[in-house]
Amino acid sequence: MSYPLSRRQALLQSLGLAGLALLPGGAALARETTAASGVLTRLLGKAAKSVTVKLSKTSGEVPWYSVAARDGKLSVSGSDSVAVTRGVYSYLKQNGLADISWEGDRIALPDQWPAASERRVETPFRHRVYMNTCTFGYTTPWWGWARWEREIDWMALHGIDMPLAMEGQEFVWQALWRENGLSDAELAAYFSGPAFTPWQRMGNIEGYDTPVPQAWIVKKRDLQRRILGRMRELGMTPILPAFGGYVPKAFAEKHPEARIYKMRAWEGFHETYWLDPADPLFARLAGRFIALHTETYGEGQYYLADSFNEMLPPISADGSDAAKASYGDATANAKAAEAVDPAVKAARLADYGAAIYQSIRQTRPDAVWVMQGWLFGADRDFWSSDAIGAFLSRVPDDRLMVLDIGNDRYPDVWTRADAFKGKSWIYGYVHNYGGSNPVYGDLDFYRTDLAAIRASDKTRNLTGFGVFPEGLHSNSVVYEYLYDLAWENAAPADWLKVYTRARYGQTSPALLAAWGNLQAAVYQTRYWTPRWWKSRAGAYLFFKRPTIDATEFPPLPGNPLLLKQALEHFLALAPGLSDSKLLRNDIIDAVRHLAGFEIDAALQTAITAYKAGDLAGGDATVRRLSDLARRVDALLGAQQETLSSWIDDARAYGDTPAESAYYVENAKAQVTVWGGKGNLNDYASKAWQGLYADFYLPRWTQFLSALRQSVVAQKPFDQTVFTAAITDWEHEWVKADNTYTRQVPADPLADVKSLLELCA
């Protein structure tokens, strides 16, 4: 639907979403300047009045900022409001005045701004992108406006101009399907629970943990309006959702004449349904979705449509409709891929790509189709270079943006794809998978990798850099460094001097030596391989569903001896930094990670002892294991997130007791059993207080007890029987109406010291 300009302005203003693109140049600059000043006021309080902000936009120039301080006045200018807020934050960090992180903030404002000569900084990346479609399930389902406002401020301060904005779309989907004849009862059976919406949106699942309260759908609509309003005020370019082709089963049943394919049953869920873009219904539904989204949230330019997330395109071996639904498996094994005639495959993929793009631009002629490039790495046997080229071939180069998100796991996608054949694309990393939080990253890799990308003459139409975590709230140092690297290429050793001073209020050779050991111990791991082991999810062995072959689990990545040395150095320095809550946070995270090595080793030792008939040795190890796990659980009450905080946030989202109970069960399921009958249980495992003592430890205790009993009875351990029983226990745990309360340790650093003494 297209409105005359005046009506469109009135509509957007009524929603509080008037876009900058509709404002005269001067008004747009004024609005962005005001928005940037708002970020600084929330950050600095009254001190923001002594900061002068100036925007200077020139068409086509690279993003830049310039900061100078003299005579107690701080002035910053830049190409846009995100650049200037990034500039202020960079100045604060360089002078040891502030660190803004998920764990908390350290802000120490001086009586007078330290003098600084004017310095201009440019980024080679036109866009800096943030978030993953999965973030909206693993982290944000219970966020309200206060938490979103803080995150948008964090984005601006870190120089992010292109965030994904996926909230609130269920309200639009609901309206679309109602217009197309679906009843409220059919829709109630369609939408999946709040913590699982990303996979519903991408067509992997439908109707899991229904019905979703209407209040949640309406709250997310209202929230998205505020989110987009603030992003647009700041001059950000949010990436909005589009129609990727998945339709409710009820819709498919009402349209037997349509080319609708039954897709595979993803990870043990039931099948979903995908509408062929060649079918006339596709364009009609896609266009109407964007029209409804525009009416609800205002206009956009970048629209995300992922049609084949871990689902292969339905292409039959002979191209006939008769076999169209039989092909598709996210394992993308070579045999299945080879079964399709290359010419048929190329033609079908080219048709799909062209039709998806055209379905978006029919309503928004200037739109850019955005897609995540994850599928090209995850299903590489299907997505050969030729297949990628065919899929992208009939879309104009400037009307498609590929988010090449997985270069920490699949670093060859962009080279295999010949830089996506000249389409615009964003280079980046996922880093965090499942919202799980082992302590890891690879600072040296990030620097050398990004330097190589910047220097390469083969990147063609590379237009940005991004970080795409599936979940937030862990390893802040990784994200701080990555978004700094988007602007300046600092070596980790030099960067850590600035980081430690900003984060802790001071730095020293001893503190840097401790951080050097920490970096060498844990921050030289680019991908956390233990999260999948023998098709079993979980960040550590302790977080995985117990199995008798756990003794074969490989050692965790990293160097526990260096990690222990780093912790000993940090503890020695802690008295001089006693008021640094962020140092305490980092020490606790490091020691619970070190304890993860010990706990996993103890599990293997206990199993080995029992299998050998050494009951006394096994019993002693189980006691040590239990002690370690309970100590870690108690210590983690000092951290930002706990099982109780996750549950409390879910409960608070409800307006009635029934809604609250539903949200709590949904939240508990996501961090434990996940769902389906596949391998997703424990995929979103967390090192949280509550989960160690009440979920992971009881689960392993039951396993070790059953193993011991089988040894005493001189009977083989029956893994099948145990797995069925423990699976029932897990689901009962999710449904149990237990109360969890954060227990904050009285002296966490003393507890760290005692825990450290128990680690080898």
Side-chain angles (χ1 to χ4, degrees):
M1 184 177 295
S2 178
Y3 295 128
L5 182 61
S6 58
R7 183 180 174 190
R8 189 186 310 134
Q9 286 177 313
L11 173 63
L12 296 178
Q13 289 169 355
S14 72
L15 300 175
L17 301 176
L20 291 175
L22 303 180
L23 297 174
L29 285 177
R31 183 169 177 177
E32 280 197 45
T33 303
T34 300
S37 297
V39 174
L40 298 181
T41 298
R42 287 186 291 276
L43 175 69
L44 304 174
K46 294 180 180 179
K49 294 180 179 179
S50 62
V51 181
T52 301
V53 174
K54 181 181 179 181
L55 269 62
S56 178
K57 285 182 178 289
T58 303
S59 177
E61 69 179 344
V62 298
W64 64 274
Y65 64 81
S66 179
V67 183
R70 60 178 64 91
D71 301 325
K73 297 290 186 180
L74 178 61
S75 60
V76 56
S77 56
S79 56
D80 54 77
S81 60
V82 167
V84 298
T85 52
R86 157 73 198 181
V88 171
Y89 185 45
S90 178
Y91 166 85
L92 294 173
K93 292 198 294 182
Q94 289 290 333
N95 288 279
L97 301 176
D99 179 83
I100 310 301
S101 73
W102 294 313
E103 300 85 28
D105 303 337
R106 177 190 164 267
I107 301 174
L109 300 181
D111 294 332
Q112 182 169 304
W113 297 117
S117 299
E118 186 169 358
R119 187 172 74 101
R120 180 182 170 110
V121 178
E122 298 179 352
T123 174
F125 299 111
R126 177 64 189 87
H127 293 297
R128 286 81 56 210
V129 188
Y130 178 55
M131 286 199 176
N132 183 302
T133 53
C134 300
T135 317
F136 297 86
Y138 287 130
T139 300
T140 73
W142 324 118
W143 282 13
W145 170 242
R147 182 63 189 86
W148 264 110
E149 181 176 52
R150 175 179 169 81
E151 195 70 14
I152 296 169
D153 284 354
W154 184 94
M155 295 178 202
L157 293 167
H158 288 79
I160 294 161
D161 76 307
M162 186 175 271
L164 269 65
M166 297 289 110
E167 297 281 34
Q169 57 184 284
E170 280 64 39
F171 184 84
V172 182
W173 291 119
Q174 192 177 62
L176 176 70
W177 300 126
R178 279 173 173 163
E179 285 186 356
N180 282 273
L182 268 66
S183 67
D184 286 349
E186 289 169 326
L187 289 174
Y190 173 63
F191 292 112
S192 297
F196 301 92
T197 52
W199 302 274
Q200 168 91 31
R201 296 163 180 171
M202 291 186 287
N204 301 114
I205 64 176
E206 96 166 45
Y208 175 55
D209 200 12
T210 61
V212 176
Q214 183 65 21
W216 186 83
I217 294 175
V218 173
K219 280 184 180 181
K220 289 294 184 178
R221 177 203 63 188
D222 297 343
L223 182 61
Q224 179 74 337
R225 286 174 171 170
R226 299 187 74 173
I227 291 169
L228 290 175
R230 178 61 54 79
M231 288 178 176
R232 288 165 173 152
E233 287 171 2
L234 283 163
M236 294 178 176
T237 306
I239 297 174
L240 304 174
F243 179 70
Y246 289 92
V247 300
K249 181 178 181 180
F251 180 90
E253 291 173 342
K254 293 177 188 292
H255 293 274
E257 79 290 349
R259 292 170 61 94
I260 297 176
Y261 308 147
K262 181 186 292 187
M263 302 295 275
R264 81 178 185 100
W266 181 80
E267 294 298 338
F269 288 89
H270 64 73
E271 73 285 345
T272 55
Y273 295 82
W274 188 69
L275 174 63
D276 192 319
D279 191 288
L281 277 173
F282 191 102
R284 181 166 69 81
L285 292 171
R288 187 57 182 149
F289 175 82
I290 292 180
L292 288 167
H293 198 279
T294 301
E295 290 177 16
T296 309
Y297 300 120
E299 293 179 346
Q301 183 178 4
Y302 290 81
Y303 288 92
L304 180 76
D306 284 324
S307 297
F308 308 118
N309 177 62
E310 298 182 2
M311 309 283 276
L312 290 191
I315 301 170
S316 62
D318 60 1
S320 68
D321 290 344
K324 65 178 180 276
S326 64
Y327 181 72
D329 187 332
T331 59
N333 60 79
K335 184 177 179 181
E338 291 171 357
V340 180
D341 179 272
V344 172
K345 178 179 177 180
R348 185 70 70 89
L349 289 175
D351 287 345
Y352 285 165
I356 293 169
Y357 164 65
Q358 292 295 338
S359 74
I360 295 172
R361 74 175 299 273
Q362 64 176 326
T363 305
R364 300 286 302 135
D366 63 342
V368 176
W369 169 27
V370 181
M371 64 170 293
Q372 295 184 109
W374 177 257
L375 71 170
F376 299 143
D379 294 337
R380 63 177 297 146
D381 286 321
F382 177 87
W383 290 106
S384 64
S385 179
D386 289 343
I388 295 171
F391 189 49
L392 309 181
S393 62
R394 289 164 53 193
V395 184
D397 288 352
D398 62 347
R399 287 292 175 256
L400 173 61
M401 176 179 284
V402 178
L403 305 180
D404 185 24
I405 69 176
N407 286 282
D408 47 345
R409 187 178 181 191
Y410 303 121
D412 66 338
V413 169
W414 77 271
T415 52
R416 283 196 303 109
D418 185 23
F420 305 102
K421 313 299 180 180
K423 303 298 183 287
S424 64
W425 62 289
I426 306 294
Y427 184 87
Y429 315 105
V430 174
H431 177 260
N432 181 292
Y433 292 82
S436 204
N437 53 348
V439 180
Y440 84 103
D442 194 339
L443 304 189
D444 286 318
F445 164 74
Y446 301 140
R447 186 205 181 202
T448 56
D449 191 48
L450 280 180
I453 284 291
R454 292 168 65 167
S456 174
D457 61 357
K458 301 183 184 303
T459 56
R460 301 182 71 170
N461 197 16
L462 175 66
T463 55
F465 167 74
V467 191
F468 306 92
E470 289 188 349
L472 311 180
H473 300 162
S474 72
N475 294 287
S476 278
V477 63
V478 168
Y479 300 87
E480 199 74 22
Y481 187 47
L482 282 170
Y483 280 115
D484 278 1
L485 284 176
W487 294 82
E488 298 185 80
N489 186 24
D494 296 328
W495 181 84
L496 283 169
K497 295 176 184 177
V498 175
Y499 178 73
T500 51
R501 185 181 172 209
R503 189 164 175 83
Y504 308 136
Q506 61 178 274
T507 193
S508 67
L511 183 58
L512 291 172
W515 252 101
N517 279 340
L518 183 63
Q519 181 190 348
V522 297
Y523 287 117
Q524 292 186 349
T525 301
R526 74 184 65 170
Y527 173 65
W528 189 253
T529 54
R531 76 186 192 92
W532 284 117
W533 178 66
K534 293 188 174 183
S535 299
R536 299 168 201 159
Y540 304 88
L541 178 61
F542 187 57
F543 292 3
K544 297 181 187 293
R545 183 179 286 163
T547 53
I548 194 67
D549 61 356
T551 52
E552 301 170 17
F553 184 72
L556 296 173
N559 187 325
L561 294 178
L562 271 180
L563 180 53
K564 186 174 183 180
Q565 288 179 28
L567 280 161
E568 290 169 345
H569 292 160
F570 279 128
L571 286 175
L573 294 166
L577 291 161
S578 58
D579 62 341
S580 177
K581 294 180 180 179
L582 293 176
L583 177 62
R584 185 191 70 184
N585 175 93
D586 295 347
I587 290 173
I588 292 172
D589 251 7
V591 79
R592 62 89 174 161
H593 186 67
L594 177 64
F597 286 85
E598 293 292 316
I599 291 171
D600 282 2
L603 287 172
Q604 294 177 315
T605 299
I607 294 170
T608 299
Y610 283 144
K611 288 172 70 175
D614 181 6
L615 299 182
D619 291 348
T621 305
V622 169
R623 288 193 294 271
R624 181 171 181 272
L625 163 70
S626 299
D627 182 47
L628 282 168
R630 294 186 187 282
R631 285 173 181 264
V632 171
D633 192 86
L635 180 62
L636 290 178
Q639 298 301 76
Q640 176 200 12
E641 287 187 300
T642 64
L643 177 61
S644 65
S645 70
W646 174 248
I647 289 175
D648 289 347
D649 287 347
R651 180 178 290 111
Y653 226 77
D655 295 326
T656 67
E659 284 181 10
S660 293
Y662 168 78
Y663 294 145
V664 166
E665 185 173 327
N666 190 260
K668 291 174 71 178
Q670 195 223 63
V671 299
T672 54
V673 300
W674 215 99
K677 299 183 183 300
N679 302 315
L680 290 175
N681 57 281
D682 302 300
Y683 181 83
S685 60
K686 302 289 193 298
W688 283 350
Q689 183 184 74
L691 284 176
Y692 275 84
D694 199 59
F695 188 78
Y696 303 133
L697 182 58
R699 190 166 61 171
W700 275 102
T701 300
Q702 292 177 65
F703 169 82
L704 293 167
S705 176
L707 176 59
R708 189 185 193 280
Q709 290 171 15
S710 72
V711 173
V712 171
Q714 297 184 338
K715 293 181 179 180
F717 179 77
D718 193 326
Q719 181 68 58
T720 302
V721 170
F722 174 80
T723 298
I726 205 65
T727 300
D728 289 342
W729 177 87
E730 292 167 351
H731 285 269
E732 290 169 3
W733 183 92
V734 168
K735 295 177 181 179
D737 186 20
N738 294 336
T739 299
Y740 297 93
T741 304
R742 179 194 294 269
Q743 301 294 326
V744 180
D747 190 347
L749 292 185
D751 294 342
V752 167
K753 185 177 180 181
S754 63
L755 184 58
L756 195 60
E757 291 171 351
L758 297 176
C759 295

Coordinates of all heavy atoms in Angstrom, one line a residue, residues 7-18 225 295:
R7 N -0.1 12.0 4.0 CA -0.8 11.0 4.8 C 0.2 10.1 5.6 O 0.0 9.7 6.7 CB -1.7 10.2 3.9 CG -2.5 9.2 4.7 CD -3.4 8.4 3.9 NE -4.1 7.3 4.6 CZ -4.8 6.3 4.1 NH1 -4.9 6.3 2.8 NH2 -5.4 5.4 4.8
R8 N 1.3 9.8 4.9 CA 2.3 8.9 5.4 C 2.9 9.6 6.7 O 3.1 9.0 7.7 CB 3.4 8.6 4.4 CG 4.4 7.5 4.8 CD 5.5 7.3 3.8 NE 4.9 7.2 2.5 CZ 5.4 7.8 1.4 NH1 6.4 8.6 1.5 NH2 4.9 7.6 0.2
Q9 N 3.2 10.9 6.5 CA 3.8 11.7 7.6 C 2.8 11.7 8.8 O 3.2 11.5 10.0 CB 4.1 13.1 7.2 CG 5.3 13.2 6.3 CD 5.5 14.6 5.9 OE1 4.6 15.3 5.4 NE2 6.7 15.1 6.0
A10 N 1.6 11.9 8.5 CA 0.6 11.9 9.6 C 0.5 10.6 10.3 O 0.4 10.5 11.5 CB -0.8 12.4 9.0
L11 N 0.5 9.5 9.5 CA 0.5 8.2 10.1 C 1.7 7.9 11.0 O 1.5 7.5 12.1 CB 0.4 7.1 9.0 CG 0.5 5.7 9.4 CD1 -0.7 5.3 10.3 CD2 0.6 4.7 8.2
L12 N 2.9 8.2 10.5 CA 4.1 8.0 11.3 C 4.1 8.8 12.5 O 4.5 8.4 13.6 CB 5.3 8.2 10.4 CG 5.5 7.3 9.2 CD1 6.7 7.6 8.5 CD2 5.6 5.8 9.7
Q13 N 3.7 10.1 12.4 CA 3.7 11.0 13.6 C 2.7 10.5 14.6 O 2.9 10.6 15.8 CB 3.4 12.4 13.1 CG 4.5 13.0 12.4 CD 4.2 14.4 11.7 OE1 3.0 14.8 11.7 NE2 5.1 15.0 11.1
S14 N 1.6 9.9 14.2 CA 0.6 9.4 15.1 C 1.2 8.2 15.9 O 0.7 8.0 17.0 CB -0.7 9.0 14.4 OG -0.5 7.8 13.6
L15 N 2.2 7.5 15.3 CA 2.8 6.4 15.9 C 4.1 6.8 16.7 O 4.7 6.0 17.3 CB 3.2 5.3 14.9 CG 2.0 4.7 14.1 CD1 2.6 3.8 13.1 CD2 1.0 4.0 15.0
G16 N 4.4 8.1 16.6 CA 5.7 8.5 17.2 C 6.9 8.0 16.4 O 8.0 7.9 17.0
L17 N 6.7 7.8 15.1 CA 7.8 7.1 14.3 C 8.2 7.9 13.1 O 8.7 7.4 12.2 CB 7.3 5.7 13.9 CG 6.9 4.8 15.0 CD1 6.4 3.5 14.3 CD2 8.1 4.4 15.8
A18 N 8.0 9.2 13.1 CA 8.3 10.0 11.9 C 9.8 9.8 11.5 O 10.6 9.9 12.3 CB 8.0 11.5 12.1
R225 N 7.4 -0.2 18.6 CA 7.2 1.2 18.2 C 8.2 2.1 18.9 O 8.8 3.0 18.3 CB 5.8 1.7 18.5 CG 4.7 1.1 17.5 CD 3.3 1.4 17.9 NE 2.4 1.0 16.9 CZ 1.1 1.0 17.0 NH1 0.5 1.3 18.2 NH2 0.3 0.6 16.0
E295 N 2.3 0.2 8.1 CA 1.2 0.8 8.8 C 1.4 0.8 10.3 O 1.0 1.7 11.0 CB -0.1 0.1 8.4 CG -0.6 0.4 7.0 CD -1.9 -0.4 6.7 OE1 -2.5 -0.8 7.7 OE2 -2.2 -0.6 5.5

